[in-house]
Amino acid sequence: MRIDQLNQTLGFALFVLLAMFANSALGQAGTRVGFYSSSCPRVESIVQSTVRSHFNANPTIAPGLLRMHFHDCFVQGCDASILIAGADTERTAPPNSLLRGYEVIDDAKTQLEAACPGVVSCADILALAARDSVVLAGGGSWSVPTGRRDGRVSLASDTSNLPGFTDSVDVQRQKFQAKGLNAQDLVTLVGGHTIGTTACQFFSYRLYNYNSTGGPDPSIDPAFLATLQSLCPQNGDGSTRIGLDNGSQNRFDNSFFANLRSGRGILESDQKLWTDGSTQTFVQRYLGIRGLLGLTFSLEFGRSMVKMSNIEVKTGTNGEIRRVCSAIN
């Protein structure tokens, strides 16, 4: 082989290796772990300490931030559009009306603007805060790819495609598939309901007038039905909060799946993950049912969160870095 041919061959091989390395370092949407390693090296420690401070004062911040990240990614992608304040924005829409934790993101943003002005996006702060919330609640950690930019559009009308508490499994799967997420991702991410609460108004219909016969939802464990009826009496206060993971609402673990198996899921959409065969297998795998290949919830949750956090990400000139998370620059 001539020297020039050898150089060409070696050059091509080096190009392939560099391309492989670049692809492994990037998230599926152009994000990557360590995006701010030079421009703002303390970003993760600042967000983590901020979330911890708020969590110590109010542990309900953890599920609030996790839900907020989920709701953000499913509308306009993971671009912090849910944080924008104003009339008819995403945060004013009914599915987002009870979200909490905006002040945590604002606090972290204020500190990051002091340390690294105009560098860190609100979308990345929210993605990091969701991970840190899970860890503080007892869940596993994962590496969060960063490099998102913030969106400029936030419309309440766009939230109509968010997964809903009455959705069938088929509808849930369609909504997740539209975002590049499969059935396992669906079961895994809904497993985030292992922490947090919901209001009686979102499930009390299951307790009294579920169908045309006027009876309760037959998928509810009878003993648990009596407990729920005492907590959410008919025509009672619909704003009363009930843990989504009975007996473990403040701990990030896989007991949520055990509750589904026992007919103790709170939301109708959650309980259907057990009664529908297409998703029941994944619930069983998280429970370690004999004869099935087991899944480790804390590990798979991190993987599915990374996939979700790269939905329709805005990078480069397709977005901005907001100086204030609640307002477009």
Side-chain angles (χ1 to χ4, degrees):
M1 179 180 291
R2 298 198 315 269
I3 296 298
D4 58 338
Q5 290 178 317
L6 178 61
N7 287 339
Q8 287 179 349
T9 301
L10 290 174
F12 179 74
L14 178 61
F15 171 80
V16 171
L17 286 172
L18 288 173
M20 291 173 61
F21 174 78
N23 287 334
S24 68
L26 291 172
Q28 63 189 44
T31 56
R32 61 183 172 86
V33 175
F35 181 84
Y36 298 108
S37 59
S38 298
S39 58
C40 193
R42 294 181 54 229
V43 58
E44 295 209 21
S45 62
I46 289 174
V47 173
Q48 184 181 66
S49 64
T50 304
V51 175
R52 182 186 297 110
S53 175
H54 285 268
F55 176 85
N56 288 339
N58 179 9
T60 64
I61 285 298
L65 291 170
L66 181 58
R67 310 273 192 277
M68 189 184 296
H69 183 41
F70 180 94
H71 285 215
D72 181 46
C73 289
F74 265 73
V75 180
Q76 297 284 346
C78 307
D79 66 350
S81 54
I82 197 170
L83 303 177
I84 299 173
D88 298 321
T89 57
E90 289 174 35
R91 66 192 287 176
T92 68
N96 298 329
S97 62
L98 298 179
L99 289 178
R100 62 188 72 187
Y102 294 103
E103 70 279 9
V104 183
I105 306 302
D106 290 339
D107 188 358
K109 180 62 171 174
T110 298
Q111 295 181 54
L112 286 166
E113 282 299 303
C116 319
V119 172
V120 181
S121 69
C122 300
D124 281 340
I125 295 172
L126 183 51
L128 291 167
R131 185 270 311 274
D132 296 338
S133 296
V134 169
V135 173
L136 286 167
S141 185
W142 63 90
S143 296
V144 177
T146 46
R148 302 165 188 80
R149 292 179 73 84
D150 300 322
R152 301 183 179 94
V153 177
S154 182
L155 299 172
S157 57
D158 287 340
T159 64
S160 59
N161 286 328
L162 277 169
F165 58 90
T166 63
D167 285 349
S168 67
V169 167
D170 282 345
V171 170
Q172 292 182 70
R173 290 183 65 175
Q174 289 169 13
K175 289 180 177 179
F176 274 69
Q177 186 174 19
K179 301 299 180 182
L181 302 170
N182 58 33
Q184 181 175 319
D185 295 318
L186 162 61
V187 175
T188 303
L189 292 171
V190 171
H193 286 170
T194 182
I195 54 174
T197 63
T198 189
C200 289
Q201 61 184 303
F202 297 121
F203 68 90
S204 59
Y205 68 91
R206 299 182 65 209
L207 312 180
Y208 305 100
N209 300 302
Y210 178 67
N211 51 35
S212 58
T213 63
D217 184 342
S219 68
I220 303 175
D221 170 47
F224 191 49
L225 174 64
T227 299
L228 291 178
Q229 288 176 331
S230 67
L231 294 171
C232 300
Q234 196 166 18
N235 301 318
D237 182 1
S239 65
T240 300
R241 309 293 298 186
I242 304 296
L244 285 164
D245 186 4
N246 180 54
S248 183
Q249 69 186 52
N250 296 317
R251 180 78 181 170
F252 200 96
D253 53 28
N254 72 343
S255 64
F256 171 77
F257 300 113
N259 275 321
L260 297 186
R261 178 178 56 184
S262 301
R264 297 190 169 213
I266 302 298
L267 299 180
E268 181 180 6
S269 56
D270 288 356
Q271 188 58 51
K272 283 176 177 175
L273 297 181
W274 176 259
T275 58
D276 190 291
S278 68
T279 48
Q280 186 186 83
T281 299
F282 294 108
V283 177
Q284 292 174 322
R285 291 175 68 184
Y286 280 127
L287 291 173
I289 301 298
R290 183 174 297 178
L292 293 174
L293 180 64
L295 290 170
T296 302
F297 179 49
S298 60
L299 178 62
E300 298 301 330
F301 189 80
R303 290 175 175 169
S304 290
M305 284 292 287
V306 169
K307 287 179 66 176
M308 185 193 76
S309 72
N310 275 314
I311 293 175
E312 299 166 27
V313 163
K314 295 170 178 63
T315 57
T317 58
N318 186 22
E320 65 180 10
I321 303 296
R322 277 184 236 141
R323 294 302 184 101
V324 177
C325 289
S326 61
I328 300 171
N329 288 347

